[in-house]
Amino acid sequence: MASVRKDIDVGVAPQDVWAALRDFGAVHERVAPGFVTATDLHGDDRIVTFVSGAVVRERLVSADDRRRRLVYRVVESALGLTHHQASVEVVDPGPGATGCRVVWTTDLQPDDLAPVVSELMEHGAVAIARAFAG
């Protein structure tokens, strides 16, 4: 199984970043505007539309407020993935530091799609950094 990780330094307080990430239906407004253009909630699923026009269905697996960690999996996509589960975690840099780090990790199969997913995540990481520029 392939794994792709993006570390995104942002200039916003961890609790504010977590509040946006935790808002599962507002990724297009609060987390990655410009990269994600629409989000439509259906229970624990969200239908996400990307700037490319691609549409995926993602399912919320867990949201841990104490750890500031959200896990979701893609249940429908045109990429041909047989497995896709991702976590997004807000890491507090410690006392005296400003901002925080967002750690976005995706485990996927088949492995040969890792470069495609990595490139997509890189575009998402840029949008996330821009949204939380502080």
Side-chain angles (χ1 to χ4, degrees):
M1 181 174 309
S3 186
V4 179
R5 177 179 162 142
K6 302 294 177 184
D7 292 303
I8 310 155
D9 290 317
V10 298
V12 177
Q15 64 272 17
D16 296 334
V17 175
W18 175 244
L21 289 171
R22 182 71 168 89
D23 191 354
F24 194 63
V27 68
H28 64 298
E29 298 170 331
R30 300 183 68 188
V31 179
F35 177 65
V36 176
T37 59
T39 307
D40 187 24
L41 280 179
H42 295 270
D44 286 340
D45 289 3
R46 66 183 177 192
I47 310 301
V48 179
T49 304
F50 295 91
V51 68
S52 66
V55 177
V56 301
R57 177 180 287 267
E58 299 174 340
R59 182 160 298 145
L60 180 62
V61 174
S62 67
D64 185 333
D65 292 320
R66 187 183 59 76
R67 291 181 57 202
R68 294 185 180 131
R69 183 174 184 265
L70 184 132
V71 178
Y72 65 93
R73 63 187 177 105
V74 173
V75 294
E76 291 177 25
S77 127
L79 281 180
L81 295 161
T82 58
H83 175 81
H84 177 290
Q85 183 159 303
S87 66
V88 185
E89 187 169 358
V90 180
V91 179
D92 191 335
T98 59
C100 61
R101 174 171 285 168
V102 175
V103 179
W104 185 14
T105 306
T106 299
D107 297 322
L108 65 115
Q109 288 179 320
D111 292 358
D112 61 350
L113 288 176
V116 173
V117 171
S118 181
E119 183 176 341
L120 292 171
M121 288 175 65
E122 188 60 37
H123 291 293
V126 168
I128 292 167
R130 189 173 44 245
F132 296 118

